[in-house]
Amino acid sequence: MMELTRKGEYAIRGIVYLAQQPAGKVSLISEIAQATEVPQTFLAKIFQSFAKLGLINSSRGTGGGFILGRPASSITLRQVVEAVEGPIMPNRCLLGTGSCERDGHCRVHPVWKTVQSHVVGILDGVTIEELASK
Amino acid sequence: MMELTRKGEYAIRGIVYLAQQPAGKVSLISEIAQATEVPQTFLAKIFQSFAKLGLINSSRGTGGGFILGRPASSITLRQVVEAVEGPIMPNRCLLGTGSCERDGHCRVHPVWKTVQSHVVGILDGVTIEELASK
DNA sequence: ACCTTTAAGACCAGTTTAGTCTTTTTATAA
DNA sequence: TTATAAAAAGACTAAACTGGTCTTAAAGGT
């Protein structure tokens, strides 16, 4: 239960690699893929998601590539994970006859709410800068 | 990310239903399935998992059916969820070149460890008795 | 014997995962 | 202005997982 997929793993590896590069350095997807041992085309898709969210900036053509869009200290592990895996949401509704919203007496719902807020809190407390530091 | 599957939802519904029955009452799978609105054959499989772990006792033939194998107060939500979904394990290894075990400098690993222990702790703190109470 | 009930296992359609491949767009350089 | 370099976009795919169904077997009761 609750496993991060490879996409999530690759996403973290990729952005941490970027954070470890010298300031201002632009990295090619081929370079990042090789260094992180991630299939290049798959990583490219992941980085497109990042770019759309502004976590990284991309540029095309000669001299193009990827670079962090914000300081690594302002990017949290949660943002990275949610960028590719979607929101952290352990709770769909349980118990009783209908959906949780319909009949409000669901006893399990608050438990999943608690789980969610703990996980979110932990992942929000970790920055890419921390992960990138030697 | 981190979603409970239907199997997990159904598992909780089913065992909570059992916990809500009068002490000593044996319930048929057909009855439980109808009451919880879960497909009967699917629920039967889930209950087989429970039976193997001793969470419930089953008996065949006329007058047979299912009954809790232990007091509801001694069955935790974690046990129920893990019985059908497997262990709560958010961490496969990330970062670096090899697996987390090989090169021990993985920075993300301890984060997932923390997540895991929090989630386990929360689910261990909730009993089926609590969930079954009106 | 016959009926009732769970157990076990084969089977299956649909979705998700983990990618690949091709084409297009954008930017630079000769 | 043409060639080249790079990311963007989208179609495609094999394998695994989800969410079941169906059939047969086993065990217990009458």
Side-chain angles (χ1 to χ4, degrees), chain B residues 93-116:
Chain B
C93 205
L94 319 170
L95 277 182
T97 57
S99 72
C100 211
E101 283 69 297
R102 286 226 315 249
D103 49 306
H105 63 288
C106 173
R107 269 290 195 315
V108 190
H109 192 113
V111 178
W112 293 119
K113 261 294 182 198
T114 304
V115 167
Q116 181 188 37

Side-chain angles (χ1 to χ4, degrees), chain A residues 30-73:
Chain A
S30 54
E31 168 199 336
I32 307 166
Q34 187 168 30
T36 57
E37 295 179 298
V38 172
Q40 178 171 334
T41 53
F42 197 24
L43 188 63
K45 296 231 165 275
I46 292 167
F47 270 44
Q48 284 175 29
S49 307
F50 287 160
K52 273 178 192 150
L53 293 170
L55 297 181
I56 64 177
N57 291 328
S58 65
S59 50
R60 306 198 220 193
T62 309
F66 297 95
I67 193 168
L68 282 189
R70 308 205 304 251
S73 57

Side-chain angles (χ1 to χ4, degrees), chain B residues 16-90:
Chain B
V16 165
Y17 176 87
L18 270 195
Q20 286 170 334
Q21 302 315 300
K25 190 204 159 197
V26 169
S27 304
L28 299 183
I29 193 71
S30 54
E31 168 199 337
I32 307 166
Q34 186 168 32
T36 56
E37 294 179 298
V38 172
Q40 177 171 333
T41 52
F42 197 24
L43 188 63
K45 295 233 165 271
I46 291 167
F47 271 45
Q48 284 176 29
S49 306
F50 287 161
K52 272 177 193 150
L53 293 171
L55 297 182
I56 64 177
N57 291 327
S58 65
S59 49
R60 307 197 224 195
T62 310
F66 296 96
I67 193 166
L68 283 188
R70 308 206 304 250
S73 59
S74 77
I75 303 175
T76 70
L77 184 53
R78 178 194 178 188
Q79 288 166 346
V80 172
V81 168
E82 289 198 334
V84 298
E85 305 250 27
I88 288 162
M89 269 276 300

Side-chain angles (χ1 to χ4, degrees), chain A residues 78-99:
Chain A
R78 178 194 178 189
Q79 288 166 347
V80 172
V81 168
E82 289 198 337
V84 297
E85 304 251 27
I88 288 161
M89 268 273 302
N91 57 310
R92 243 182 318 178
C93 206
L94 320 170
L95 277 183
T97 56
S99 73

Side-chain angles (χ1 to χ4, degrees), chain A residues 1-4 6 9 13 37 85 87 89-90 92-95 97 107 118 122 131 133-134, chain B residues 1-6 9 13 37 85 87 89-90 92-95 97 107 118 131 133-134:
Chain A
M1 192 210 169
M2 285 195 25
E3 280 179 41
L4 197 70
R6 294 203 184 277
E9 296 187 18
R13 282 198 221 166
E37 295 179 298
E85 304 251 27
M89 268 273 302
R92 243 182 318 178
C93 206
L94 320 170
L95 277 183
T97 56
R107 269 288 194 318
H118 274 76
I122 293 165
L131 296 179
S133 71
K134 316 283 166 38
Chain B
M1 191 210 170
M2 285 192 28
E3 280 179 37
L4 196 72
T5 67
R6 295 207 180 275
E9 296 187 18
R13 282 198 220 167
E37 294 179 298
E85 305 250 27
M89 269 276 300
R92 240 182 319 180
C93 205
L94 319 170
L95 277 182
T97 57
R107 269 290 195 315
H118 273 77
L131 296 178
S133 70
K134 317 285 166 40

